[in-house]
Structures are given as C-alpha cells and as structure tokens.
Amino acid sequence: MLLYTNTLKMKKGYTMIDKNFEWYQENYQDLYKKYPEKFLIIANEKVEGAFDTLDDAYVFGVKEIWLGNFLLQKCEDALKTLNFHGLYQIK
C-alpha cells in the first residue's frame, strides 16, 4: 500500500533514501503494527533501529550508518503523517 503516490525525485534521479521511503510505504501496515509511534532508522530496505525519541534515532543513524545513507521516519498513523527528506536546504 503506497501512502503517497506523488513523491518528489532529486534532479540526479532515484536515491537510496527514495528507495528506503518506498520500502517504508510498501511495508507500512506491518511496520506500524510492530513499531507504533516509534522513530525508525531504515537503511537498505530494513529497520536498523526503532527509538522513542527523534534525537536517539538521529544519533544512532549518524554514528552507525552515516548521514545521507538512511531514512529517519516516524512510524505513526498515516493520516497524521507529513514527510520531509533531509537532503535539501531551504534558502
């Protein structure tokens, strides 16, 4: 089940973060049952960690996986979710 059908693509094409986000969308129902309201670190199309706080998830992702190679996604009710990918800087 894809939650969002119109996702923005980077100019250079499909990225690993896009791939991980697509995997999250496709597996959302199972993930939500297993990790409700947790902050997930997703890399290589699998959950590498589930955390209660955004800070804990971010620190784990940066230390264990490396910034830019993982998706940090809160696994919450799909009707409340708004997603931003952290690769872009707003000027």
Side-chain angles (χ1 to χ4, degrees):
M1 170 179 107
L2 289 180
L3 303 177
Y4 308 98
T5 55
N6 294 324
T7 57
L8 297 174
K9 300 292 180 196
M10 292 181 66
K11 291 179 184 178
K12 294 183 180 180
Y14 197 69
T15 68
M16 192 60 183
I17 290 178
D18 292 321
K19 187 174 182 180
N20 286 322
F21 184 64
E22 186 175 282
W23 179 84
Y24 169 80
Q25 290 177 313
E26 291 169 354
N27 294 281
Y28 167 76
Q29 290 179 335
D30 292 333
L31 292 170
Y32 187 71
K33 287 177 189 173
K34 190 171 182 179
Y35 306 108
E37 305 304 318
K38 298 287 185 181
F39 290 93
L40 305 180
I41 295 293
I42 299 170
N44 299 313
E45 299 181 63
K46 68 179 183 176
V47 175
E48 295 290 344
F51 301 88
D52 292 325
T53 70
L54 175 65
D55 290 346
D56 289 345
Y58 179 77
V59 168
F60 174 85
V62 170
K63 284 185 176 179
E64 300 297 325
I65 299 169
W66 199 256
L67 192 60
N69 294 313
F70 64 89
L71 173 70
L72 193 167
Q73 175 69 49
K74 186 167 186 188
C75 191
E76 63 183 352
D77 184 337
L79 298 176
K80 297 189 311 185
T81 303
L82 178 61
N83 299 288
F84 294 95
H85 292 253
L87 292 179
Y88 305 99
Q89 181 178 5
I90 299 172
K91 293 184 178 184

